[in-house]
Amino acid sequence: TVAGLVVALRTINTRNGRMAILTLDDRTARSDVVVYADLFRENREILARDRVLVIEGEAMADDYTRRGHKQRYWAQPDGPIG
């Protein structure tokens, strides 16, 4: 689980639909979050800059960024969505 402020949001059109890459800032580090097309469709109303999100899912690290496959999204102070 990771939480933070969305400081950047980029959407990409793919053959499976639109997907997004979010950058979250938790005041200690920044993490890139890939939101694939199916989850983007389900959660697009809460994916916005300057919004605090709590995201649960599988994280993967590489030498340049912290990216992961995410499964559940929350916008604070609401509960789980998706």
Side-chain angles (χ1 to χ4, degrees):
T1 301
V2 63
L5 179 69
V6 179
V7 295
L9 170 67
R10 184 170 47 133
T11 59
I12 303 165
N13 291 319
T14 69
R15 79 179 161 205
N16 294 326
R18 287 175 60 126
M19 63 180 282
I21 299 174
L22 310 172
T23 302
L24 292 182
D25 188 332
D26 69 359
R27 299 180 90 186
T28 63
R30 289 188 174 192
S31 298
D32 288 335
V33 178
V34 177
V35 183
Y36 292 101
D38 56 341
L39 291 173
F40 180 79
R41 280 189 299 276
E42 294 173 17
N43 297 285
R44 67 177 167 239
E45 68 279 352
I46 65 167
L47 302 177
R49 285 192 59 186
D50 299 325
R51 186 145 200 197
V52 175
L53 295 179
V54 179
I55 302 173
E56 182 180 280
E58 179 184 337
M60 298 179 300
D62 64 32
D63 292 338
Y64 304 103
T65 64
R66 293 167 43 196
R67 289 191 175 184
H69 298 285
K70 306 304 177 182
Q71 298 173 343
R72 295 180 69 189
Y73 299 82
W74 291 257
Q76 291 300 319
D78 303 321
I81 304 175

